[in-house]
C-alpha cells in the first residue's frame, strides 16, 4: 500500500489550492485519513483528519479556511485550502491510519510530501 499526494504549488495570499492523496493497493478499509504539515525549522503538525464515518477534525489555525473530505470508494483524501496565508507555507504530508489490506493490517502510512508555498 502506498499513498501518493499531489496538488501543491505556489499561490498568492488569499488564493486557493486543493491537495489530493490516493492510497493504492487492495485496500479493504482505512480508519482515518488526514493531512499534516511541516514548515522549515518547525515540527510536523496536524492540519486535518477525517474518519471512515466522515467525522472531521481541524487544527485551530485552519478552521473555516480548509476543508477535508474523502472518497472512500477511491481511498482518496482531499484538502481544499482557501484564504491561504503565508504562514500556511509548508510541506504537506498525507497520512492514513488503521489500514486493512489483503488480509494485513498497517497501523500508519505516510505519503511523500507536497510543497505548498504562499507568497505575501
Amino acid at each position: 500500500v502506498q499513498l501518493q499526494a499531489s496538488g501543491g504549488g505556489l499561490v498568492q495570499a488569499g488564493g486557493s489550492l486543493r491537495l489530493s492523496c490516493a492510497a493504492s493497493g487492495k485496500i479493504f478499509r482505512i480508519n482515518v485519513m488526514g493531512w499534516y504539515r511541516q514548515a522549515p525549522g518547525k515540527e510536523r503538525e496536524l492540519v486535518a483528519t477525517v474518519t471512515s464515518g466522515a467525522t472531521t477534525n481541524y487544527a485551530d489555525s485552519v478552521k473555516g479556511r480548509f476543508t477535508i473530505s474523502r472518497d472512500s470508494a477511491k481511498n482518496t483524501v482531499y484538502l481544499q485550502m482557501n484564504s491561504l496565508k503565508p504562514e500556511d507555507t509548508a510541506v504537506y504530508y498525507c497520512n492514513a491510519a488503521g489500514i486493512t489490506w489483503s488480509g494485513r493490517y498497517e497501523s500508519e502510512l505516510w505519503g511523500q510530501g507536497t510543497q505548498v508555498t504562499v507568497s505575501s
Side-chain angles (χ1 to χ4, degrees):
V1 176
Q2 290 185 330
L3 300 178
Q4 182 68 41
S6 61
L10 173 64
V11 65
Q12 289 188 333
S16 298
L17 282 174
R18 188 188 193 215
L19 305 183
S20 299
C21 177
S24 62
K26 195 172 182 180
I27 297 167
F28 175 71
R29 177 186 173 89
I30 302 176
N31 286 341
V32 183
M33 300 188 80
W35 292 93
Y36 292 72
R37 66 187 182 187
Q38 187 167 17
K42 295 188 177 181
E43 293 186 352
R44 191 173 297 188
E45 63 177 4
L46 168 75
V47 177
T49 60
V50 57
T51 70
S52 57
T55 299
T56 58
N57 180 48
Y58 294 93
D60 288 342
S61 59
V62 307
K63 283 180 180 177
R65 300 188 297 121
F66 292 10
T67 302
I68 190 169
S69 61
R70 68 187 279 181
D71 184 335
S72 293
K74 296 181 179 180
N75 294 312
T76 300
V77 63
Y78 306 96
L79 185 68
Q80 178 66 44
M81 304 185 293
N82 298 328
S83 302
L84 282 160
K85 303 175 181 180
E87 51 263 45
D88 294 318
T89 295
V91 178
Y92 284 69
Y93 297 91
C94 65
N95 173 276
I99 308 115
T100 304
W101 61 286
S102 299
R104 302 179 181 179
Y105 180 82
E106 191 76 45
S107 60
E108 187 174 54
L109 281 176
W110 290 93
Q112 91 286 6
T114 185
Q115 177 70 46
V116 171
T117 303
V118 184
S119 62
S120 57

